[in-house]
Amino acid sequence: MTNSIYNLEFKLFFRNPSSQIGILVLLLAGFSGLYLGKTFIQKQQQVIEKAALLQKKNTLTNVEHFGDELGLVMFHNKFSFANEPSPWAAFANGQRDVNPYLISVTMLGLEGQIYDTDINNPTTLLMGNMDLSFVFIFLFPLVIIAFSYNILSEQKESGVWPLLRSQTNNSQNIIWKKMVVRIVVVFAINLVLTISSVIYLNLPIDSTLAYASILIMLYLAFWFGVSYLFISLNKSSNFNVSGLIAVWVMLCIIIPASLNLFLTQKFPIPEALQNVINQREGYHEKWDKAKEVTMKPFFEHYPQLRKYPFPEEKTFSWYWYYAMQQMGDDQALESKIAIDKKLQSRQNFTKIVALFFPSIQTQIGINELAGSDLNQHLKFQNEVRKHHEQIRLHFYPSIFQEKNVKATDILNYKLEKFIPQKTNSVLLNLLSVFTLTVILFSISYLNFRKESLLIIKN
């Protein structure tokens, strides 16, 4: 009997033209998201591969043009460091469209170079890039709303509900069967897109896939919970659809935008401009001061370099010039630390607030799993700093001893890559979305039970 009821509900659901359109929209949007997300990351990978070839070519060109003067060669020569996208970055592009994924630096002051990025069309940045995570987080809820908002109200408005209710003592069971049909269909579409992403994006079948799949399924279940709650209020179709769309707008657009605005006000970063000013002043002001003003703090920073004799009699030396560059970075150190702290504070505050908003929670969790979030970018910047420091310490002795370029291994330096650290720290995200989903379904159950008791009493 139960199977025949479900078979009938599935037939009624698939005969509805709006259901067919909804399924088609999700599949087309999902496959488009897969294609566009992969295309976006492939372009970044092509740039990284091209940069690897250009680094060696440019190094050879610099050596050819500037001869044996190592200090001058290092003034022009750039060393590239790339934030290598993980396979999951095509699934969720995250912040890879706004943060630089390829940083090329010389041995000069780092703080004046590390924030350099490509010039982007602001309209394009505002619209963002479409990927599969966008489809799951923003489009799936709309289709769930379209599938579910009138499950009960349509029966009442058409006059069928009294007849259906007369066939059973548990009217909630009728609504639940209709809801189960929609849950099965949406989760089946989710499964199709997930399997397609594994195949098309070459995603490894590991714990990351498991965590991402569970998080997405919980997020979809949350939206079914929201729809079920509105259904349990026993209102009209117009009320349900208006209320559900309002909830979607609040959770997916207004609250994230308001949170971003609040964070920029609560944690402003005037230090970003100050950092650049400090770095430039720390370097440029040394031109007009005695060399001792530069060299004393430089040797305090690098006591191991004291063994190389400093040519004080020269008006200009690369020894002094690179020391001035280092002093620029040292003078910007305090503002750089302040920037990192405020960015981390923004991230921590967002994680706390997101516990109450599944749309933000899911986006954060998927970006973390994909290695395309802010934390990974900050780690990438730190790796660039370490790489830059390693290059400086490696070539300083050769520059200070005025060695020939051919006596160094500069031609052996290749583009270095930062591999995002794999993270499965989404348990809190899962717990948060799961808890809110359970609360919604529990309230809905109590509403239906309360209505049933009122009907019995009457």
Side-chain angles (χ1 to χ4, degrees):
M1 181 65 179
T2 302
N3 289 337
S4 62
I5 293 176
Y6 277 117
N7 289 335
L8 177 60
E9 290 295 344
F10 273 109
K11 288 180 180 179
L12 291 174
F13 176 80
F14 283 112
R15 284 177 183 174
N16 191 331
S18 62
S19 300
Q20 299 171 12
I21 293 173
I23 293 172
L24 184 62
V25 166
L26 288 182
L27 289 174
L28 289 177
F31 293 133
S32 298
L34 279 174
Y35 172 76
L36 294 173
K38 184 175 182 179
T39 301
F40 176 75
I41 294 301
Q42 281 180 335
K43 289 180 180 178
Q44 292 192 349
Q45 289 175 324
Q46 290 170 2
V47 171
I48 292 173
E49 292 172 2
K50 186 176 181 180
L53 297 175
L54 286 176
Q55 175 165 317
K56 187 171 184 179
K57 180 180 178 181
N58 290 339
T59 300
L60 289 170
T61 302
N62 288 331
V63 171
E64 179 182 352
H65 278 73
F66 303 112
D68 296 332
E69 193 171 358
L70 182 58
L72 184 59
V73 171
M74 301 307 296
F75 175 88
H76 292 279
N77 202 64
K78 288 193 173 184
F79 301 87
S80 297
F81 203 88
N83 185 358
E84 179 75 4
S86 71
W88 277 94
F91 185 96
N93 299 161
Q95 295 194 14
R96 291 188 65 92
D97 57 345
V98 294
N99 292 323
Y101 60 91
L102 177 67
I103 298 178
S104 298
V105 295
T106 65
M107 279 184 58
L108 307 183
L110 179 62
E111 294 305 317
Q113 305 178 75
I114 196 169
Y115 302 105
D116 288 345
T117 184
D118 293 332
I119 297 175
N120 293 294
N121 187 328
T123 303
T124 303
L125 292 178
L126 180 64
M127 295 176 62
N129 295 290
M130 183 175 175
D131 51 32
L132 189 55
S133 69
F134 173 88
V135 176
F136 280 125
I137 292 170
F138 293 96
L139 300 187
F140 263 78
L142 288 174
V143 175
I144 290 173
I145 290 171
F147 283 171
S148 309
Y149 77 95
N150 61 348
I151 286 180
L152 174 59
S153 57
E154 184 183 41
Q155 310 300 322
K156 289 188 174 184
E157 291 161 0
S158 63
V160 177
W161 180 243
L163 179 62
L164 291 175
R165 198 175 61 191
S166 66
Q167 305 298 316
T168 178
N169 294 327
N170 188 358
S171 58
Q172 182 179 355
N173 196 37
I174 300 174
I175 305 303
W176 179 245
K177 284 184 171 63
K178 293 179 178 294
M179 180 63 78
V180 167
V181 169
R182 286 148 178 81
I183 292 174
V184 170
V185 171
V186 170
F187 274 57
I189 298 171
N190 167 43
L191 181 62
V192 170
L193 292 178
T194 300
I195 294 174
S196 300
S197 66
V198 171
I199 297 172
Y200 186 63
L201 303 179
N202 295 318
L203 300 179
I205 301 176
D206 55 10
S207 58
T208 301
L209 176 62
Y211 280 117
S213 300
I214 294 172
L215 182 58
I216 290 170
M217 287 190 290
L218 285 175
Y219 178 69
L220 299 181
F222 166 81
W223 279 102
F224 276 111
V226 174
S227 299
Y228 202 51
L229 176 62
F230 272 83
I231 294 169
S232 72
L233 297 177
N234 199 17
K235 301 291 184 178
S236 67
S237 295
N238 288 337
F239 175 87
N240 289 346
V241 71
S242 299
L244 286 167
I245 292 297
V247 171
W248 179 86
V249 171
M250 288 293 294
L251 291 182
C252 295
I253 299 177
I254 295 179
I255 290 177
S258 300
L259 177 60
N260 183 59
L261 181 61
F262 173 77
L263 288 175
T264 57
Q265 296 294 324
K266 184 175 177 62
F267 303 106
I269 310 182
E271 294 86 357
L273 175 60
Q274 191 61 45
N275 187 57
V276 177
I277 294 173
N278 290 343
Q279 192 273 334
R280 291 185 177 181
E281 286 184 349
Y283 154 62
H284 286 292
E285 68 181 8
K286 299 299 188 298
W287 285 102
D288 302 320
K289 296 183 178 181
K291 294 184 176 62
E292 179 64 21
V293 175
T294 299
M295 301 312 299
K296 183 178 180 181
F298 179 73
F299 286 134
E300 290 175 355
H301 189 121
Y302 296 115
Q304 69 272 31
L305 299 178
R306 290 180 181 272
K307 61 183 179 181
Y308 302 106
F310 173 65
E312 296 184 20
E313 69 283 356
K314 288 187 177 182
T315 304
F316 173 85
S317 68
W318 289 112
Y319 205 143
W320 176 50
Y321 181 80
Y322 283 109
M324 285 194 294
Q325 292 288 336
Q326 179 63 56
M327 291 305 96
D329 280 348
D330 287 354
Q331 192 160 317
L333 180 61
E334 185 176 343
S335 53
K336 175 261 176 186
I337 294 174
I339 292 173
D340 289 347
K341 285 184 177 180
K342 287 193 175 180
L343 288 175
Q344 193 60 56
S345 296
R346 285 186 180 184
Q347 187 78 351
N348 295 337
F349 187 87
T350 301
K351 285 187 175 183
I352 294 173
V353 174
L355 293 174
F356 306 97
F357 303 107
S359 56
I360 303 176
Q361 191 73 265
T362 305
Q363 184 73 76
I364 291 175
I366 292 178
N367 286 347
E368 285 185 356
L369 291 170
S372 56
D373 61 324
L374 177 61
N375 279 335
Q376 288 295 341
H377 177 68
L378 294 177
K379 291 177 182 177
F380 167 60
Q381 284 188 333
N382 287 333
E383 290 301 314
V384 173
R385 289 187 171 93
K386 291 179 182 177
H387 183 59
H388 186 259
E389 180 76 354
Q390 182 266 326
I391 291 172
R392 276 178 164 175
L393 291 176
H394 181 76
F395 287 105
Y396 273 162
S398 298
I399 294 173
F400 299 163
Q401 296 177 82
E402 299 182 351
K403 288 187 176 180
N404 190 291
V405 174
K406 296 179 181 178
T408 67
D409 58 351
I410 186 173
L411 295 178
N412 296 332
Y413 271 75
K414 301 177 181 179
L415 178 143
E416 296 291 336
K417 294 181 179 180
F418 167 73
I419 308 298
Q421 299 177 6
K422 187 176 179 180
T423 176
N424 292 323
S425 59
V426 293
L427 294 178
L428 187 60
N429 307 69
L430 297 174
L431 180 61
S432 170
V433 180
F434 174 78
T435 302
L436 291 172
T437 303
V438 170
I439 291 174
L440 289 172
F441 276 105
S442 299
I443 295 174
S444 303
Y445 172 79
L446 293 175
N447 286 345
F448 277 115
R449 183 176 177 80
K450 186 177 180 180
E451 183 184 359
S452 299
L453 292 174
L454 288 174
I455 293 173
I456 293 174
K457 287 181 180 180
N458 294 333

